[in-house]
Amino acid sequence: KGMALLYSEIAFDREAASNLLQFLPEASQANIQSKLNECEKLFTFDQHFDLLDQIKDLLAIIKAVEHDLLQSSVVVGIEVTGAVAESTPPESVEAVEAKKQPTALSAAMLAAFIESSPMYVIGQEKVRECQHLSDDIEDHTTWTPTTSIDEKGYGTYYRAEVGKTAHSFKVIGEVQESILHVVSVIMELDLYTEWFPMCCEAEMQGELTRFHKSSRFVVQVPWPMSNREVFLVGYGVDDLTTRKRVIITSRSVADSEKLHSNIRRPPVGKKCTRISVEKGGFLLEALSPNSCRISFIMNVDPEIPHIGCTDHLTHSPFY
């Protein structure tokens, strides 16, 4: 399933988890429940790196419980106390009690339930995409500087994508401003026209969470080309607690892609050409309470064909 469709489901089914938890030893139930509550909180606030660390610890605890139960050889989840003979009168049946017993199978089922939950699957995908973007920003072996690069590596870089019509570039710099203030600016998608170079239109197209949104941007380009627009979906992951950073990643939404009901697909704007962004985003790193490093990266196909003659220029759908 796509991430947007997973958001259509319950991120974590508390009732189902509670039912499975009842078949674990009472001594471990409170600790596991507490960690599950913390996982839900981290998911809600888009702290997915911390979420995966928490789930890793949680699964280790459940695995240890499973191991202990295997050693105890408890294989039946219900213990019946009292005896029911064929001659037992109906009024005596209440003396028979069915008691839930911890089993290794229940522990394994709870672990599998957590691993298959939308909360965990979405968290894994977001961390994977954010880490990929971060690794590409920090890599300098495949990039060519297009400006002078200072001792901190600040400057502008370009990379030709072999076999593709897309181009990649990144810009790294530092601002004397709190990372929280910078994040606040980037979150306001409708205000990109105020600061993003050549952006003349910016419209939010819906959101899944406070930090997971969709937007349409239009960038002005010189005549005779038409303006370029992108329809993006993107999200931010708060990794401030552990690594003092925030990662924001985005990509184009394909025409055939199924969308969450909260996101609307905008029509292509008048005199605009919709282009594709394979990957784009920001890496914001706190350097001090009042300064941060900003890295911006984008891989984009500008839909500009090779112009070989005037006739091509006149009849090209890209102009």
Side-chain angles (χ1 to χ4, degrees):
K1 293 184 179 180
M3 191 188 303
L5 296 184
L6 280 170
Y7 267 106
S8 300
E9 303 176 5
I10 299 174
F12 190 74
D13 191 332
R14 296 182 185 179
E15 183 178 355
S18 178
N19 290 336
L20 289 170
L21 197 56
Q22 293 179 43
F23 287 91
L24 268 60
E26 291 185 5
S28 63
Q29 289 183 19
N31 185 30
I32 292 175
Q33 184 62 65
S34 175
K35 288 189 174 295
L36 284 173
N37 293 341
E38 180 64 20
C39 286
E40 288 191 86
K41 178 182 176 182
L42 292 171
F43 179 82
T44 299
F45 289 100
D46 288 291
Q47 295 175 268
H48 297 290
F49 283 91
D50 295 333
L51 168 66
L52 294 194
D53 290 341
Q54 185 80 354
I55 290 180
K56 181 180 178 181
D57 292 343
L58 176 59
L59 292 175
I61 292 172
I62 296 173
K63 192 69 177 178
V65 171
E66 179 186 357
H67 178 268
D68 292 343
L69 290 172
L70 282 172
Q71 299 302 311
S72 67
S73 301
V74 177
V75 294
V76 180
I78 300 292
E79 177 187 23
V80 178
T81 59
V84 182
E86 291 183 5
S87 58
T88 302
E91 61 270 18
S92 300
V93 173
E94 62 183 8
V96 178
E97 179 184 359
K99 182 180 179 182
K100 296 172 182 176
Q101 288 292 295
T103 68
L105 177 60
S106 297
M109 289 177 64
L110 178 59
F113 177 78
I114 293 170
E115 291 174 327
S116 63
S117 67
M119 175 178 69
Y120 187 48
V121 174
I122 290 172
Q124 284 183 307
E125 183 172 345
K126 287 192 172 184
V127 165
R128 182 168 53 249
E129 291 298 320
C130 286
Q131 192 59 57
H132 183 264
L133 183 137
S134 175
D135 291 344
D136 208 6
I137 287 175
E138 294 174 358
D139 167 54
H140 293 292
T141 60
T142 62
W143 294 84
T144 301
T146 61
T147 62
S148 59
I149 306 299
D150 65 15
E151 68 280 359
K152 294 182 179 180
Y154 295 169
T156 303
Y157 300 80
Y158 170 79
R159 181 175 65 202
E161 302 296 343
V162 179
K164 297 182 179 180
T165 56
H167 304 266
S168 294
F169 64 90
K170 66 179 177 181
V171 181
I172 304 174
E174 183 179 323
V175 295
Q176 300 305 308
E177 192 59 73
S178 164
I179 189 173
L180 298 179
H181 294 168
V182 175
V183 169
S184 298
V185 172
I186 293 176
M187 280 181 58
E188 296 296 336
L189 302 179
D190 294 342
L191 299 181
Y192 272 48
T193 54
E194 302 293 323
W195 63 272
F196 196 88
M198 298 184 292
C199 182
C200 59
E201 293 182 43
E203 304 165 336
M204 192 168 77
Q205 302 300 316
E207 62 181 32
L208 301 181
T209 71
R210 185 185 178 194
F211 300 110
H212 192 148
K213 304 182 180 185
S214 178
S215 57
R216 171 182 173 268
F217 297 111
V218 178
V219 175
Q220 284 183 320
V221 295
W223 183 90
M225 294 185 293
S226 61
N227 289 342
R228 264 46 181 174
E229 73 167 40
V230 290
F231 172 35
L232 301 173
V233 62
Y235 50 82
V237 172
D238 178 353
D239 197 22
L240 285 170
T241 303
T242 305
R243 301 170 186 85
K244 300 185 184 303
R245 64 180 184 174
V246 173
I247 304 176
I248 301 166
T249 182
S250 63
R251 61 169 179 80
S252 286
V253 180
D255 292 339
S256 59
E257 186 173 340
K258 293 183 179 180
L259 300 178
H260 189 278
S261 58
N262 288 2
I263 296 177
R264 56 188 177 274
R265 189 186 303 275
V268 178
K270 186 178 181 181
K271 296 183 179 180
C272 288
T273 296
R274 182 164 291 176
I275 62 176
S276 175
V277 173
E278 182 178 321
K279 176 182 64 179
F282 297 87
L283 170 61
L284 311 175
E285 301 166 280
L287 302 176
S288 74
N290 297 308
S291 66
C292 67
R293 180 185 298 114
I294 302 178
S295 303
F296 173 73
I297 189 171
M298 180 168 285
N299 172 273
V300 59
D301 181 354
E303 297 286 355
I304 300 178
H306 175 70
I307 302 174
C309 61
T310 304
D311 183 67
H312 186 132
L313 174 64
T314 304
H315 295 91
S316 171
F318 303 105
Y319 291 88

